[in-house]
Amino acid sequence: MNTELSNKIKISFKERFKTEPLMIFSPGRINIIGEHTDYNDGFVFPAAVNKGIVAGIQKSEDFESKVYAVDKNEEISFSLYTLKPSAEGSWANYVLGVVSELQNRSKTIGNFNIAFGGDIPGGAGMSSSAALENSVVFGLNELFNLGLSKEEMILISQKAEHNYVGVKCGIMDQYASMFGIENHALLLDCRTVKSKPYKIDFKDYELILINTNVKHSLSDSAYNDRRSVCESIAEMLKVKALRDATEYDLQGIKDKVTPENYQKVLYIIQENDRVIKASKAMEADDLKTLGVLLYASHEGLQNQYKVSCFELDFLVEQAKLNGHVLGARMMGGGFGGCTLNLIAKNESENFKTHVAKVYNEKFGKACSIYSVKLSAGTHLI
Ligand code: GLA
């Protein structure tokens, strides 16, 4: 975690609200493999990282609650009795949505003040939104002794996103952010919501992230559309979720679905399978196979599930041109954000310099390159 950031948030909180806050760090996440499988009850392989959201929170004697977004220098205030979503696209909905879900569960809270800031840009595909939701629910649980388990808290965060933000997300982001373990990735079964930790040590290789610094605007509606295609085809296949379907099952209804939707569902079935294969490859220290699976995942996201974009595809093409990159793929919901690259440590610097140059030449803007450490989940600082 970034101590400079946490000092900044603490100072901002104290200046503005004149009390001592409870401080929380809630991490963002990466995902090694398993994209869009979470809302199909499938498998994913995320890890919390040492970048995320820092929040300061404390009870307030006021008649209203206040939220201060330090990075944006914006404040909102609201009454707990007349809660409603803010304008579409506003950061406030991640906070208001959590409060609303607590109320839906008859959890009583009083007024509070919160100040937050982060070190992952929104739109990076690293779940700054889940990190923010988790920091709020975690902080309110502590402040008002709500007695919520971590399992309950992540469901509250997820519902906040469904109902206030309007994205029908799966559980991966909230889970990884809350349950992360230092130096580990989590093989998560999104049906049972239980995970198996894997110690990550890629020896001569490392993971680096390259942020396209774009977020194409159709992403939320495209996300919800994909989810509803998956659900309706699961229904046609008479299974609870696509996790239960096989390629053979899908073949059986080929003439009843459009070729586009056929490919989307095929992608989900294959990606789910890739997650299991990736976990076995990691158990066997077989990074080559892991790399092949990463490229295959990108290929599916690009051509079958159709959630990639030019910028992401360009970065993955650059990775393929470099013999020291074992695998690369877009990460997260898609339409922008980061690629994840598994690269030989001794080639990393060359690759970074090269990619920064060619990306700039191609798109007339900079990409950002990050190395991350795998970190513990949401916690008090
Ligand atoms: C977003 C969602 C997650 C997951 C990913 C794609 O990050 O919030 O639930 O579906 O996209 O894997």
Side-chain angles (χ1 to χ4, degrees), residues 25-38:
F25 173 65
S26 192
R29 60 111 189 87
I30 58 166
N31 183 25
I32 295 176
I33 196 162
E35 227 57 89
H36 291 270
T37 42
D38 62 350

Side-chain angles (χ1 to χ4, degrees), residues 29 35-36 38-39 169-170 172-173 223 332-333:
R29 60 111 189 87
E35 227 57 89
H36 291 270
D38 62 350
Y39 53 82
C169 63
M172 168 170 73
D173 303 350
Y223 186 94

Side-chain angles (χ1 to χ4, degrees), residues 1-2 5 25 50-54 71 117-121 126 370:
M1 190 211 49
N2 179 336
L5 173 65
F25 173 65
N50 59 336
K51 291 180 186 291
I53 295 285
V54 171
D71 302 327
D119 55 2
I120 36 177
M126 293 171 71
Y370 320 120

